[in-house]
Amino acid sequence: MKTIIVNEFIKNAFSQEKALILRKKIEECFSNDDKMVLDFSGITKFTTLFFNFSTGYIISAFGPDKYNEKISLINLSPLGQSTYESSYKNAVEKYKPNKEIEKKILEVIKNSEE
C-alpha cells in the first residue's frame, strides 16, 4: 500500500490546478495497481472543485467499486471531509448507469437484429 502525503506537493486543496497534480499521482498508483492512502495532514483549505477534478474524476473513469477498493483518505479536517463527501456522492450518482437510456439502447440493438 502506498501513502500519498498530499501536502508534500500541494499546500491547499482549492483549485483545479492543484487537483490535477493530485490526480496525476493517483493515476500513477492506479497504473501500478497499487492501493493507496491519501493523507491530507496539514491541508486546511478545500473546495468541491478540487475533489471533482481529482478523486471525482477517478470515480468517473474507473467506477466507484474500483475507487473504493483502491483509495482511502485520512486526516481530512471536518470541512475537508464534508467537501469530499459532497463531491464523492455527486461522482457516484453520475456514474450510475441511466436505466432508461440503457433500455433504449437495448431496444435499438434488438430492433437492428430483426
Side-chain angles (χ1 to χ4, degrees):
M1 180 170 307
K2 179 170 175 91
T3 299
I4 297 173
I5 308 213
V6 177
N7 76 4
E8 288 181 353
F9 49 91
I10 62 173
K11 299 303 175 200
N12 64 60
F14 207 71
S15 68
Q16 180 180 345
E17 175 188 23
K18 304 291 186 197
L20 295 176
I21 294 168
L22 177 58
R23 184 165 90 192
K24 182 177 180 193
K25 302 267 187 200
I26 294 170
E27 289 173 327
E28 289 169 5
C29 288
F30 255 81
S31 67
N32 295 330
D33 209 30
D34 292 337
K35 289 186 178 183
M36 69 199 85
V37 174
L38 305 178
D39 184 343
F40 282 88
S41 297
I43 307 285
T44 58
K45 295 181 180 178
F46 298 90
T47 63
T48 305
L49 173 77
F50 172 83
F51 286 116
N52 288 347
F53 278 91
S54 58
T55 56
Y57 174 86
I58 300 298
I59 292 167
S60 297
F62 297 98
D65 291 338
K66 182 94 169 169
Y67 174 89
N68 291 332
E69 174 187 314
K70 297 280 197 180
I71 296 177
S72 58
L73 282 67
I74 61 172
N75 297 319
L76 280 169
S77 68
L79 172 63
Q81 186 66 40
S82 66
T83 305
Y84 167 73
E85 287 174 3
S86 175
S87 175
Y88 176 88
K89 288 175 187 173
N90 287 338
V92 169
E93 188 62 35
K94 288 179 182 177
Y95 184 81
K96 288 181 183 175
N98 184 322
K99 294 296 180 189
E100 191 61 36
I101 292 173
E102 188 176 311
K103 182 179 172 184
K104 289 178 182 180
I105 291 170
L106 291 173
E107 287 174 10
V108 169
I109 292 170
K110 182 181 174 188
N111 290 334
S112 68
E113 293 174 352
E114 294 176 352

